[in-house]
Amino acid sequence: MGNLKKGQVLIFLILISVFILSVCLSLFFRLPNNVDDIKIILMLIRLPAILKAIVAGASLAVAGMFLQTISKNPLADPYLVGLSSGAGLGISLSILLFNSVNYSLFGFFGALISAVLVIALSGFSKFSITKLILIGLSFNLFVSSLIACLILINPTKSYAMTLILTGGFNSADISNRLLLLLFVIVMIICALFIPKLNVLRLDTGLAFKTGKEADRISIIFIILASLLTSLSVFSAGILGFVGIICPVFSRLLFGADCRVLFFANILCGSTLLLVSNFLSNNLLFPVQIPLGVVVSIVGVPFFVYFLLKKGGIFKGNF
């Protein structure tokens, strides 16, 4: 963090302030007067939702940073390797077969299985990012078609499937302690590999002795991104845009050093989902807007504004 300029330090402080404000609003806005009701609402609804927002936002943002860096493509997304469709299929099967019981767990394993399949099909011996992207997109299209068919042929459960697939923090089948433990473990592992990511963003021909060494490290980061994205599905379902917007936004503001971007993405992703969740619950109160819709409404205008103001990100800043 020592390389940050004064303006960047100020931006970091502003982001931290917005993060703290969004946590406070999410906790204490519109609380009832009854003390017993306040305790129940805080412990059973609002604190778990804040935890899930932080886990999902940070996980998606860091996963997006990993994939955008190794592919040198600012449009790379955590769901690139088929995770969104795999998670969606797992969630859909849970709703159809088990009446939504443990749907987040089904989504978690669906995402992990999808990632394993896509990475395996991409080939370890003749691995390439281009092949991974093409196979991931093909897998996404195929499984998304299956999900659409399941929704169409099950009209009685189509609303529940559509609502859950847009993302949210309503699932009660997750142990918050387990979720936090998994999140901390995966983030520590990711932090240990950040120096390798900084090397990987350079010309691989100069940074590594062989191309296979660069491919091996790329596969490690794809696996880490898959774990992070599966963790996000575990906590919040399927949420788009976060994994694209936050890494690009962070890179525009703080440069290309992955050591700084790692913390910036954790902060940006968490803050985006906390603000979006607050607006989702209160914008049309008592009606709750689907979280995925609010994420797009909040995130996309800021993303487009900064992209137009600092469009140099498409000129090799990766």
Side-chain angles (χ1 to χ4, degrees):
M1 295 271 183
N3 295 327
L4 287 179
K5 299 175 183 177
K6 288 184 178 179
Q8 293 173 329
V9 172
L10 180 62
I11 293 170
F12 245 117
L13 292 175
I14 291 171
L15 283 173
I16 291 171
S17 301
V18 175
F19 173 83
I20 294 170
L21 178 63
S22 59
V23 168
C24 293
L25 286 172
S26 299
L27 277 175
F28 303 118
F29 190 71
R30 289 188 193 276
L31 280 176
N33 295 323
N34 189 296
V35 176
D36 293 331
D37 290 342
I38 290 174
K39 289 180 180 179
I40 292 170
I41 290 170
L42 288 178
M43 298 306 296
L44 297 182
I45 299 174
R46 297 199 175 182
L47 279 173
I50 288 170
L51 171 64
K52 292 171 188 175
I54 292 171
V55 170
S59 298
L60 282 175
V62 172
M65 181 191 76
F66 287 170
L67 291 173
Q68 289 179 11
T69 302
I70 64 174
S71 66
K72 295 180 172 60
N73 182 353
L75 298 180
D77 180 80
Y79 296 127
L80 193 69
V81 291
L83 286 163
S84 60
S85 55
L89 185 60
I91 290 169
S92 300
L93 290 175
S94 169
I95 294 168
L96 292 174
L97 301 177
F98 303 102
N99 292 319
S100 303
V101 176
N102 293 324
Y103 73 79
S104 57
L105 192 62
F106 274 75
F108 174 75
F109 284 114
L112 275 183
I113 292 168
S114 300
V116 170
L117 282 173
V118 172
I119 293 170
L121 288 171
S122 300
F124 290 98
S125 58
K126 295 181 179 179
F127 176 81
S128 75
I129 294 293
T130 304
K131 191 197 295 186
L132 176 83
I133 291 172
L134 292 174
I135 291 173
L137 287 173
S138 302
F139 186 85
N140 258 334
L141 289 170
F142 176 72
V143 179
S144 295
S145 300
L146 291 180
I147 295 170
C149 288
L150 289 174
I151 291 173
L152 286 172
I153 63 178
N154 293 278
T156 56
K157 295 184 178 180
S158 61
Y159 175 76
M161 291 168 72
T162 304
L163 185 65
I164 292 175
L165 287 172
T166 56
F169 306 121
N170 298 320
S171 173
D173 59 301
I174 303 170
S175 166
N176 294 319
R177 290 180 182 177
L178 174 62
L179 182 64
L180 184 60
L181 178 64
L182 288 172
F183 175 68
V184 170
I185 291 171
V186 175
M187 279 299 177
I188 290 172
I189 295 170
C190 291
L192 294 175
F193 280 95
I194 289 297
K196 291 284 187 183
L197 190 65
N198 252 344
V199 176
L200 198 63
R201 70 184 176 87
L202 304 174
D203 187 342
T204 52
L206 298 174
F208 297 99
K209 293 179 180 178
T210 64
K212 286 188 177 180
E213 186 181 356
D215 288 344
R216 189 178 72 250
I217 294 173
S218 295
I219 290 170
I220 290 172
F221 279 108
I222 291 166
I223 292 169
L224 288 174
S226 301
L227 284 171
L228 286 167
T229 310
S230 300
L231 202 57
S232 169
V233 171
F234 194 24
S235 57
I238 301 170
L239 295 171
F241 292 108
V242 180
I244 293 180
I245 291 171
C246 291
V248 173
F249 182 75
S250 299
R251 203 175 293 267
L252 287 170
L253 294 176
F254 300 107
D257 189 340
C258 294
R259 294 170 299 176
V260 176
L261 290 178
F262 178 70
F263 296 102
N265 276 289
I266 290 174
L267 191 57
C268 285
S270 303
T271 303
L272 176 59
L273 280 199
L274 282 168
V275 171
S276 298
N277 185 53
F278 175 76
L279 294 175
S280 168
N281 292 326
N282 295 286
L283 207 58
L284 296 178
F285 184 83
V287 177
Q288 186 176 25
I289 307 170
L291 182 63
V293 175
V294 180
V295 169
S296 301
I297 293 171
V298 171
V300 171
F302 282 101
F303 176 70
V304 172
Y305 170 75
F306 276 95
L307 201 61
L308 293 174
K309 195 169 184 179
K310 296 187 177 183
I313 196 160
F314 290 102
K315 299 175 183 176
N317 200 23
F318 279 76

